[in-house]
Amino acid sequence: MQPVRYRPSDAALNLLLMISGYLRDLGENESASFLNPGIKNVQVPRDVEKAVVTSRRRIASESQNNTELRLTGRYQAAWRIFEELQAAASTDSTCAALLTEKRQYKFSEVPFVGYHTVTLGEMLQMLAESDYLGNAPCMNFLGGQLQDYISELWALPKPSPAK
């Protein structure tokens, strides 16, 4: 459960970007960039952004303005990309490191409550659960935290080439 010390592979970062793109819900504006405009150091490849934006438009169209259906579709899409990350972990050690690292996520916007230290998979599972008051965590809020994490990962040094 060591923190990730080196910048993950581009493939791993792209999968994380895709997950965050599905979690960040911008309402009906499905064609906008999914990256928080405050994040300046991350480069989203055009093909990654196009794939996510196209899929988000399809999900929005299929949901026919039903917010619950739209969010469910986006959650399912994020989960499918997470499964791709899991599959990639068998050949990409940086994917494996991302899957085992525990990070602190804030599941509630209420000050001083809602912090949980969990893996990415556990965070995604917790998104589907309600708290004792019947409130589900905000996908957009957690997607933003995931993008902040991606920004941190992007700034890490690349691993030295194997000799």
Side-chain angles (χ1 to χ4, degrees):
M1 307 292 171
Q2 290 284 341
V4 175
R5 297 182 314 178
Y6 294 102
R7 183 175 166 180
S9 68
D10 289 345
L13 287 170
N14 288 344
L15 290 171
L16 282 180
L17 281 166
M18 292 176 84
I19 292 169
S20 75
Y22 287 115
L23 296 181
R24 280 195 37 91
D25 184 57
L26 305 174
E28 299 308 312
N29 188 8
E30 297 298 328
S31 60
S33 172
F34 59 78
L35 192 63
N36 178 339
I39 296 177
K40 302 293 185 202
N41 67 324
V42 176
Q43 304 285 317
V44 181
R46 283 182 103 60
D47 60 329
V48 169
E49 185 150 27
K50 183 178 179 184
V52 172
V53 169
T54 300
S55 180
R56 287 189 325 188
R57 281 190 203 132
R58 181 187 48 75
I59 291 167
S61 173
E62 290 171 359
S63 68
Q64 299 177 359
N65 295 326
N66 181 318
T67 301
E68 188 173 335
L69 285 176
R70 185 182 79 243
L71 294 177
T72 299
R74 291 177 69 146
Y75 175 78
Q76 290 170 339
W79 192 261
R80 283 191 299 274
I81 301 300
F82 175 74
E83 289 171 342
E84 288 183 35
L85 185 66
Q86 287 177 310
S90 64
T91 57
D92 184 340
S93 62
T94 63
C95 290
L98 293 172
L99 291 171
T100 58
E101 181 182 32
K102 288 193 175 225
R103 293 191 47 81
Q104 188 176 66
Y105 293 95
K106 188 165 178 16
F107 283 79
S108 171
E109 295 183 56
V110 177
F112 309 112
V113 298
Y115 287 99
H116 297 279
T117 302
V118 295
T119 64
L120 177 62
E122 291 167 334
M123 183 269 282
L124 288 172
Q125 287 174 341
M126 292 174 75
L127 267 172
E129 301 169 0
S130 299
D131 65 14
Y132 61 94
L133 296 174
N135 299 316
C138 176
M139 277 182 21
N140 187 50
F141 187 54
L142 286 161
Q145 291 175 64
L146 185 55
Q147 289 188 356
D148 291 340
Y149 175 46
I150 294 166
S151 178
E152 291 171 24
L153 291 171
W154 200 273
L156 291 174
K158 291 185 177 185
S160 301
K163 294 183 180 182

